[in-house]
Amino acid sequence: MTQISRRLALGAAVATLAAPALRAQTNAIRIVVPFAPGGSTDAVARLVSPGLTQRLGVPVVVDNRGGAAGSIGTDVVAKARPDGQTWLLTFDSHATLAALLGPQLPFDPAKDLDPVMLIGGAPYVLACKPDKPFRSITDVVDAAKRTPDGVSFASTGNGTIGHLTMVLLQNRTGTRMTHLPYRSGGLAVNDTVAGHTDMMIGSAAVVNPHVRGGTLRIFAQFGAERLPALSALPTVAEAGFQGLEAEAWWGVFAPHGTPQDAVMRMNAALKDSLQDPQVRRTMEETQQARLIMSDPQGLQTFLTREVAKWSAVVRENHIAAD
C-alpha cells in the first residue's frame, strides 16, 4: 500500500467513526473542507456557516479534513449518507483529483458527488515579501534563467491549479524552479511571510489580507482582467505570457443521491448567505473574489471544462500527488 493510500484509508476510517457521533450529539450539518485551516477554502466556509445556521435552522459546523491533495476530506463526503447532513466545500484542485491520483482515488468524483453551487473565484497571483527583488513575472523568469532551481515558490500542493500554472510557466520559458508544496494556503503564506520561500502562488483571496497588512506584495496576476485593487499591475498576458490564465474557485458538492429538494435548499441558503451585505463585501473586497453563485448545473458545466483543461497538464507533465 502506498503512503497516499494509507493516508486515504486512515482518514476515511477516522471520519467514519467520528461522523455519526457528531451528528448524534449536535444534529449539526457538516461542511467538510478538505484542507487544513487557514486557507481561502476554510475562510469561505467559516464566512458562510453562520448564515447557513440561521437559514437552515440547525448548527452548521466546518470540519477540516486535509491531506492527499484534498482527497481525504472529499472521500469523507463521497462515502457519507446522502441525507443532507454532510456537504463538501472544496477548492479548484478538485478538478485534478482523478488525473492526479488515478487508481489510488477511492471514489469517482463524477459519480459519487452531486454538484450544488459554484460559489465564485479569484485570480491566482504571485506574491513575495516586500524586501524581495521581484517586481514582475519577467523578473522571476530572468532570475530562474540565471540560476536554474535557484528560485523557490510555494503552493498549496502538487497538482493544485497554482502549481500547474507554474509548471506551464516553466515549460514555456525553459526554466526550472524549486517547488515547495504545502497542505493549505495558510501554511504557504506563513512560510512566504517568514522568508522560507522566495514567493508563493495562491489565490488573491488568501494573499490579499497579508498584502493589506504589509507583509506580502503581489507582483503578478493571472486573471483575465486586472483586479480593481491591482489596476496598475499588468496581467501576465499583458506582460507577454499568453495562455497562463488561472483562477481559483470554490464549489459545494453533496454525496451522490442527496435528495434534490435538500440540494436546492442548500443552494438557496448559500446564495442568501453570500448576498448578506457584510459577507458579500468581505468576499469581494477582502477576499478579492468574483461571486457567481450558480445553480447545480452551472457548477457541473464549469467543472467539466476545468477537468479537461488541467488534467491534461497533470498527465503531460507526469505530476503526482505529494
Side-chain angles (χ1 to χ4, degrees), residues 147-199:
T147 312
D149 295 319
V151 176
S152 62
F153 71 92
S155 81
T156 54
N158 283 347
T160 55
I161 305 303
H163 173 219
L164 299 181
T165 300
M166 294 300 286
V167 168
L168 289 177
L169 174 65
Q170 292 170 84
N171 289 347
R172 295 179 186 183
T173 57
T175 56
R176 295 201 318 268
M177 304 180 203
T178 298
H179 177 217
L180 303 175
Y182 289 81
R183 293 182 64 187
S184 76
L187 296 174
V189 164
N190 290 344
D191 268 15
T192 306
V193 169
H196 299 317
T197 178
D198 292 321
M199 59 185 171

Side-chain angles (χ1 to χ4, degrees), residues 13-52:
V14 170
T16 299
L17 291 171
L22 176 64
R23 286 196 292 267
Q25 291 172 12
T26 68
N27 197 33
I29 287 176
R30 282 193 305 164
I31 304 292
V32 175
V33 171
F35 303 99
S40 66
T41 311
D42 180 63
V44 171
R46 295 182 188 280
L47 188 62
V48 300
S49 60
L52 292 177

Side-chain angles (χ1 to χ4, degrees), residues 207-279:
V207 169
N208 192 54
H210 301 272
V211 173
R212 291 160 66 98
T215 56
L216 288 177
R217 171 170 49 80
I218 294 174
F219 63 89
Q221 53 180 323
F222 291 86
E225 300 176 352
R226 300 185 189 190
L227 282 168
L230 297 171
S231 59
L233 182 66
T235 66
V236 293
E238 291 173 324
F241 298 85
Q242 302 292 328
L244 291 178
E245 291 181 6
E247 185 173 76
W249 55 268
W250 308 277
V252 177
F253 295 83
H256 177 63
T258 299
Q260 189 64 18
D261 63 341
V263 169
M264 296 313 298
R265 187 163 57 249
M266 175 59 78
N267 183 281
L270 280 164
K271 187 172 295 185
D272 286 347
S273 298
L274 289 162
Q275 288 177 333
D276 175 87
Q278 183 174 350
V279 172

Side-chain angles (χ1 to χ4, degrees), residues 7-119:
R7 289 161 66 190
L8 286 168
L10 178 60
V14 170
T16 299
L17 291 171
L22 176 64
R23 286 196 292 267
Q25 291 172 12
T26 68
N27 197 33
I29 287 176
R30 282 193 305 164
I31 304 292
V32 175
V33 171
F35 303 99
S40 66
T41 311
D42 180 63
V44 171
R46 295 182 188 280
L47 188 62
V48 300
S49 60
L52 292 177
T53 295
Q54 178 183 353
R55 289 162 177 83
L56 296 173
V58 294
V60 175
V61 298
V62 178
D63 186 6
N64 295 88
R65 300 293 179 108
S71 59
I72 288 176
T74 303
D75 187 49
V76 169
V77 180
K79 289 182 168 56
R81 289 186 296 181
D83 56 7
Q85 291 291 109
T86 306
W87 306 81
L88 175 73
L89 199 162
T90 192
F91 196 50
D92 53 40
S93 57
H94 185 79
T96 65
L97 283 179
L100 196 63
L101 294 172
Q104 296 184 70
L105 195 63
F107 60 91
D108 186 333
K111 295 180 179 178
D112 295 336
L113 295 164
D114 292 342
V116 178
M117 173 185 280
L118 174 61
I119 290 176

